[in-house]
Amino acid sequence: MTFQIPRHFSGIALMFIFLFSFISIQAQNKQNTVTGKVVDEAGTPLEYATISFENTANPENITGGITDPEGVFSIDVSEGTYDITVEFISFEPKTFSGREITSDVEMGTITLGMAAGELDEVVVTAETTQVEVRLDKKIYNIGKDLTTAGGTVSDALNNVPSVSVDLEGGISLRGNENVRILINGKPSAMAGFGSTDVLAQLPADAIERVEVITSPSARYDAEGTAGILNIILKKEKTLGFNGSVTLTAGHPDNAGISANVNYRTDKFNLFNTTGFRYFDAPGNGFFDTRYNENSNVDFDRIVEDREITRLNRGYNTNLGMEYYLNDQSSITGSIFFRTGEDEDVTTNVTDNYLNTFSSSNPAYGTTRIENQMEEDNSWQFALNYINRFSESGHQLTADLQYETDKETQTTRIDETPDFNEIEYERFLFGEAIDQEETQKEWLIQADYVLPIGKDSQFEAGYRGNFENETTDYNIRQEDTLGNLVLNNRLTNIFDYTENVQALYTQYGTKFGDVSFLLGLRLENTNLKGEIESELTEAELEEEFGFPINTSFDNNYLGLFPTVNVIYELAETENITIGYNRRINRPRGWFINPFPSRSSTNNVFQGNPNLQPAFSNAFDVGYLKRWEKLTLTSSVYYQKETDAFERIEENVEGSNVVRTIPVNLSSNERTGGELGLLYNPANWLRLNGSFNYFQFKTEGEFNNRDYNAKNTSYFARFSSKVTLPGSIDWQTNAFYAGPSEGVQGTQEGLLSIDLALSKELFNETTTLSFNVRDLLNSRKRERYTTTNTYDRYSEFQWRQRSFNISLMYRFNQQKRDQRREGENGDDMGEGEF
């Protein structure tokens, strides 16, 4: 299959060129350019920070500007003597008095601390997760989370407030699974193509920070009705050669090594992150299905007991270089490669019962062994260009990214009878499945930022995502002679294309204590699919039980407005208000109608008739900081139309239970969350959050109502204690409350992690030990009720684990020692 950018892209490119054609740089009267960068204590850029210049000879003569998304500013100032003030909401301002400007000036990096002079807290927040509130996001600096040492990105995300990671690695935001995952602000092969499996392979220590964007601005994709999680990876900015190496070992089998190195000169910055991991993740499941008397099935009850072993070997590397063309512009190129080789073995022991009211012994039993080998190779090539014009925050960025992934699966399934084979005379055939998935994606993006006056900023941009996914599925089944014969009814090729193009514009400004950001995004979505199968559409409908369109081409054009407001009540207190409209597009595996089976009696089947879901969401937040306590809170409401819901149903005339995603009419979510960061002493740090939500679902499928109303919650708590001998002890606890869905209920789930850490060799080396899921209680218990059967199930994706990790840093300091700018006159890297 040849993958091409659509021909109508040229028209969009012309629109893009026309959009930015007004950019010009004209010579002004003799002025001098003052440049620099504004960051917080953790080194995170502060976007929309204000830099003002007050002329000491004429105090009414004030000029200035704001920082761009990288925290950089460039401001033209006439010759004279000025008092320079750098400000950002909830941070202590810095003033540089009586500075004479007679030529261009480089101010270097200016670090702002939290308001109220909480310098003692700087050390604390660098060691735990710190929250910062921006116009359109909350930023959590992961810090030194001991429980994720030697862990993965998924482990780290599970400790971020508002976020939860389920047993299969699925990520939810405020209890909603429709969340968009970005890496460094863009879709990436590092996060997988619409899947989060890759995040369970990347090391947690590669993360710099996580941006939780529940009310995304127009700059971001409209994809993901729950919002966006933007994972920012580490890229050291320190001059010279520096980095870190981490070794990990654990039980069940877990061994890994990762390195993060960086070399920077005045002309370029070379960076690399490389890791290898070998691990076993054993799991288990239990399913007890009882069929009603009116069910037309062979057995009254089926009990399945599963044991799962997962042996995974993975290698990944990201190599890049930023080259500084001049003082205003740079170009960055990077290559990401990931390869994985997995072997999963699932043993499923099944007991089939008849006349369960009069007999407690199974009538017939089988053992099914599924051995799946998988090889996966991903490449990503990215190119970024940025040009900062000689005006305050005036810049143009452009990105070009290409990704490709090839995943090959070979599955062998053998099922044998355990007892009563002759009595039931059932033929159990083996299966051999060969599946190859090929995915390709282009990303083309440009963003333009134009400051207007001192406190305002205009942005506009274009993004095009062009993605193709092809699944070649070949299944052979044993005949009565034991020969493997091709099953023509299930063998197929599914070709799926998703093209999304968008133009956006947004305007931000500040009036006194109020800052707001208004945006509008225009997106065109084109979803195309084609099924190559020997079955006709009529035969497919007969096979799967619902109409199937073997070739579809759907277009959706939509406007997505966004509004974000911050009202600063005081230096340490603010209120945020947000509104956004978003879309949830069905991914390829949700559309492919050919089933995948976890057992003979349980299948998952995609639905090619799925349509995108749309949502409108409102969010109101409140933040307050005291000397040793930080409180964050919010209430939110979201209404989603054509929401996706997974429906289980019994295939008529058999014991097979099919799960299929469908569009229901609506899903309303209302909730609130509360977070507390409390540091009563230098040796004790406490962190807790609570999220309470309710959802109401309305809709029907196959003439059955699926109306439901559910109230649930989840909470997490973390404590960090410094013991004698400078040993750090951290405890993390997570509890997800019981919940009710459209077809049943789920019990509450508790998970506790413990960790110990010690700094060695003049604090260049960190030794950590942790236990994840201390009580081995991270299990999902679910009760499902339908009109033909009731089911109780238990599932555990990963059992309790023990890990030890050793990190060595060279030419680096611990972050809590980097307290640049605390004296108020330190200008950071440059001198004034």
Side-chain angles (χ1 to χ4, degrees):
M1 168 98 191
T2 301
F3 180 68
Q4 297 178 338
I5 294 177
R7 289 174 295 182
H8 57 276
F9 165 72
S10 59
I12 295 295
L14 290 176
M15 293 174 61
F16 164 65
I17 293 172
F18 176 77
L19 178 65
F20 299 118
S21 62
F22 70 91
I23 302 174
S24 63
I25 308 174
Q26 299 179 351
Q28 304 289 326
N29 295 330
K30 170 66 176 168
Q31 289 191 325
N32 304 294
T33 302
V34 180
T35 57
K37 183 174 183 178
V38 183
V39 300
D40 62 13
E41 295 97 339
T44 305
L46 295 177
E47 182 183 5
Y48 295 113
T50 301
I51 300 90
S52 59
F53 295 77
E54 180 180 334
N55 194 308
T56 57
N58 182 10
E60 295 182 357
N61 183 7
I62 299 177
T63 186
I66 58 177
T67 55
D68 66 11
E70 300 298 324
V72 173
F73 64 88
S74 177
I75 304 170
D76 290 341
V77 182
S78 301
E79 291 186 359
T81 302
Y82 295 88
D83 291 337
I84 306 173
T85 303
V86 183
E87 299 176 282
F88 190 78
I89 294 175
S90 297
F91 285 72
E92 286 281 8
K94 276 190 179 180
T95 300
F96 306 92
S97 303
R99 304 294 180 162
E100 185 176 355
I101 298 177
T102 57
S103 61
D104 291 348
V105 174
E106 167 60 44
M107 295 181 69
T109 300
I110 302 170
T111 303
L112 298 185
M114 291 297 177
E118 301 167 14
L119 292 181
D120 290 340
E121 191 179 54
V122 174
V123 178
V124 174
T125 55
E127 290 285 330
T128 59
T129 300
Q130 171 190 344
V131 61
E132 300 171 19
V133 177
R134 306 288 175 85
L135 272 169
D136 57 352
K137 70 189 78 170
K138 291 180 182 177
I139 298 177
Y140 294 93
N141 296 301
I142 296 299
K144 186 182 174 185
D145 191 336
L146 306 182
T147 61
T148 63
T152 67
V153 171
S154 290
D155 297 322
L157 289 178
N158 205 36
N159 290 338
V160 174
S162 305
V163 180
S164 58
V165 182
D166 67 18
L167 301 184
E168 291 90 352
I171 298 172
S172 298
L173 184 57
R174 293 172 168 176
N176 190 340
E177 295 180 352
N178 300 326
V179 58
R180 178 71 155 164
I181 307 295
L182 302 178
I183 302 290
N184 295 332
K186 295 184 287 293
S188 174
M190 298 184 194
F193 289 85
S195 169
T196 59
D197 295 343
V198 179
L199 300 180
Q201 300 178 22
L202 297 178
D205 56 22
I207 298 180
E208 177 73 25
R209 62 186 186 273
V210 176
E211 298 178 347
V212 178
I213 312 174
T214 52
S215 184
S217 70
R219 180 190 304 159
Y220 296 99
D221 284 339
E223 170 75 24
T225 55
I228 294 172
L229 288 180
N230 186 21
I231 300 170
I232 306 298
L233 302 182
K234 292 178 180 177
K235 187 172 70 171
E236 189 64 43
K237 293 292 187 179
T238 307
L239 288 172
F241 181 64
N242 55 82
S244 63
V245 178
T246 302
L247 298 174
T248 301
H251 173 79
D253 293 347
N254 180 20
I257 180 171
S258 65
N260 185 1
V261 296
N262 186 91
Y263 179 67
R264 180 177 178 180
T265 70
D266 292 334
K267 200 62 181 176
F268 65 86
N269 185 30
L270 184 67
F271 52 91
N272 174 253
T273 299
T274 298
F276 173 80
R277 191 180 184 206
Y278 171 96
F279 66 99
D280 183 17
N284 56 79
F286 177 80
F287 304 84
D288 187 350
T289 307
R290 299 170 185 259
Y291 297 86
N292 301 337
E293 293 183 1
N294 59 347
S295 303
N296 183 19
V297 295
D298 296 332
F299 296 99
D300 301 334
R301 178 189 179 195
I302 295 179
V303 177
E304 301 179 42
D305 198 347
R306 290 184 203 163
E307 292 293 333
I308 308 168
T309 61
R310 304 182 190 88
L311 185 60
N312 300 324
R313 298 169 291 274
Y315 166 83
N316 65 84
T317 185
N318 182 40
L319 175 64
M321 184 178 75
E322 182 176 9
Y323 181 75
Y324 307 103
L325 301 173
N326 50 49
D327 291 340
Q328 288 79 36
S329 62
S330 67
I331 186 168
T332 303
S334 64
I335 299 175
F336 171 76
F337 172 68
R338 176 179 57 84
T339 183
E341 187 176 321
D342 304 339
E343 181 177 2
D344 298 347
V345 179
T346 302
T347 302
N348 194 350
V349 178
T350 303
D351 291 332
N352 302 269
Y353 293 82
L354 278 175
N355 304 319
T356 53
F357 292 103
S358 59
S359 174
S360 60
N361 297 320
Y364 178 61
T366 64
T367 296
R368 180 179 189 265
I369 299 177
E370 176 181 335
N371 191 313
Q372 183 180 91
M373 304 289 293
E374 178 180 312
E375 293 185 2
D376 189 5
N377 293 287
S378 293
W379 289 90
Q380 174 181 291
F381 305 90
L383 197 63
N384 167 264
Y385 170 76
I386 180 169
N387 188 0
R388 299 182 180 94
F389 302 105
S390 57
E391 297 182 20
S392 167
H394 186 187
Q395 72 174 35
L396 173 68
T397 60
D399 293 274
L400 177 64
Q401 187 171 287
Y402 172 71
E403 306 174 15
T404 180
D405 179 82
K406 184 177 181 180
E407 181 181 292
T408 303
Q409 287 184 355
T410 302
T411 306
R412 174 69 188 191
I413 301 173
D414 293 295
E415 190 164 6
T416 57
D418 293 334
F419 51 87
N420 291 350
E421 174 187 5
I422 298 178
E423 180 179 351
Y424 284 92
E425 296 182 346
R426 285 177 169 257
F427 173 65
L428 301 176
F429 51 79
E431 294 180 349
I433 301 171
D434 296 311
Q435 178 173 300
E436 183 177 283
E437 291 186 9
T438 304
Q439 297 168 303
K440 299 178 182 179
E441 182 174 0
W442 283 93
L443 170 70
I444 302 171
Q445 178 176 336
D447 299 279
Y448 174 66
V449 180
L450 176 67
I452 302 174
K454 176 184 174 182
D455 296 325
S456 302
Q457 184 165 293
F458 168 81
E459 296 182 48
Y462 164 82
R463 174 179 285 186
N465 272 90
F466 310 95
E467 181 180 351
N468 176 261
E469 174 184 338
T470 302
T471 303
D472 189 342
Y473 184 85
N474 184 296
I475 179 170
R476 292 170 293 155
Q477 295 177 319
E478 282 184 350
D479 59 15
T480 55
L481 300 178
N483 299 315
L484 290 171
V485 179
L486 185 69
N487 184 328
N488 293 319
R489 296 183 67 83
L490 293 180
T491 295
N492 70 93
I493 298 176
F494 180 61
D495 193 311
Y496 177 69
T497 298
E498 177 182 298
N499 295 328
V500 181
Q501 298 190 71
L503 291 170
Y504 82 89
T505 182
Q506 63 183 18
Y507 175 76
T509 191
K510 179 180 179 181
F511 293 105
D513 295 329
V514 178
S515 302
F516 68 82
L517 186 63
L518 306 177
L520 184 64
R521 189 176 185 92
L522 174 67
E523 282 197 355
N524 181 75
T525 300
N526 175 233
L527 305 179
K528 295 189 293 185
E530 185 173 345
I531 301 171
E532 295 183 21
S533 169
E534 292 193 7
L535 300 181
T536 65
E537 289 190 354
E539 290 173 323
L540 285 169
E541 181 177 355
E542 180 182 353
E543 178 81 19
F544 299 136
F546 57 90
I548 291 178
N549 187 354
T550 58
S551 180
F552 59 87
D553 187 349
N554 301 323
N555 278 278
Y556 307 90
L557 183 67
L559 283 173
F560 300 90
T562 62
V563 178
N564 290 284
V565 180
I566 288 184
Y567 176 48
E568 189 176 5
L569 300 173
E571 288 184 347
T572 59
E573 186 177 16
N574 63 56
I575 294 174
T576 59
I577 301 173
Y579 161 77
N580 64 86
R581 182 175 187 259
R582 301 190 62 75
I583 185 174
N584 185 27
R585 305 179 185 94
R587 305 299 300 180
W589 72 287
F590 254 43
I591 296 178
N592 191 343
F594 288 88
S596 61
R597 297 189 290 178
S598 56
S599 75
T600 302
N601 302 306
N602 294 279
V603 302
F604 177 87
Q605 184 174 358
N607 179 3
N609 303 317
L610 272 183
Q611 302 295 308
F614 294 87
S615 73
N616 288 277
F618 301 85
D619 188 289
V620 178
Y622 173 73
L623 178 142
K624 172 68 174 177
R625 299 182 192 274
W626 291 272
E627 182 179 356
K628 297 182 178 181
L629 177 69
T630 298
L631 178 148
T632 60
S633 61
S634 65
V635 293
Y636 52 89
Y637 170 79
Q638 179 192 74
K639 183 170 184 179
E640 185 175 357
T641 56
D642 289 330
F644 302 162
E645 189 71 40
R646 301 182 195 185
I647 301 297
E648 290 186 16
E649 59 181 13
N650 180 220
V651 177
E652 186 175 353
S654 74
N655 285 106
V656 175
V657 174
R658 176 181 65 183
T659 301
I660 181 172
V662 300
N663 290 111
L664 291 184
S665 61
S666 68
N667 187 335
E668 292 186 54
R669 289 178 176 269
T670 305
E673 58 184 347
L674 178 70
L676 292 173
L677 298 172
Y678 182 47
N679 304 305
N682 290 334
W683 57 270
L684 178 62
R685 302 138 205 181
L686 305 175
N687 183 353
S689 64
F690 181 78
N691 197 304
Y692 178 87
F693 57 90
Q694 179 184 87
F695 74 80
K696 179 182 179 182
T697 301
E698 295 181 351
E700 67 174 40
F701 179 68
N702 282 347
N703 299 319
R704 183 179 181 188
D705 288 335
Y706 287 98
N707 298 338
K709 190 173 183 180
N710 171 60
T711 298
S712 189
Y713 62 92
F714 63 87
R716 53 170 45 88
F717 172 78
S718 176
S719 68
K720 191 171 182 181
V721 180
T722 301
L723 302 173
S726 298
I727 297 174
D728 288 330
W729 171 25
Q730 183 173 325
T731 304
N732 286 0
F734 174 82
Y735 181 75
S739 62
E740 182 176 350
V742 296
Q743 288 186 288
T745 61
Q746 183 168 303
E747 295 295 304
L749 182 150
L750 172 67
S751 178
I752 298 176
D753 301 333
L754 295 180
L756 295 170
S757 175
K758 170 68 176 175
E759 296 296 327
L760 305 170
F761 309 121
N762 197 27
E763 297 190 335
T764 61
T765 305
T766 303
L767 179 65
S768 302
F769 172 78
N770 62 51
V771 183
R772 297 200 192 101
D773 195 9
L774 177 68
L775 305 179
N776 203 32
S777 57
R778 192 170 170 80
K779 301 178 182 180
R780 182 185 64 207
E781 295 182 63
R782 181 176 292 171
Y783 298 87
T784 303
T785 302
T786 74
N787 59 341
T788 58
Y789 68 89
D790 297 319
R791 168 185 286 169
Y792 168 75
S793 63
E794 294 180 4
F795 186 75
Q796 184 176 25
W797 179 257
R798 184 176 64 182
Q799 299 175 9
R800 175 175 49 212
S801 63
F802 304 84
N803 298 281
I804 188 169
S805 175
L806 183 71
M807 174 186 284
Y808 171 69
R809 297 175 295 274
F810 55 93
N811 297 334
Q812 288 186 352
Q813 291 179 303
K814 287 181 63 186
R815 270 200 188 176
D816 59 0
Q817 295 171 337
R818 295 186 199 162
R819 294 168 62 173
E820 312 131 327
E822 289 179 5
N823 58 10
D825 287 327
D826 187 350
M827 297 299 294
E829 296 176 358
E831 292 185 2
F832 187 58

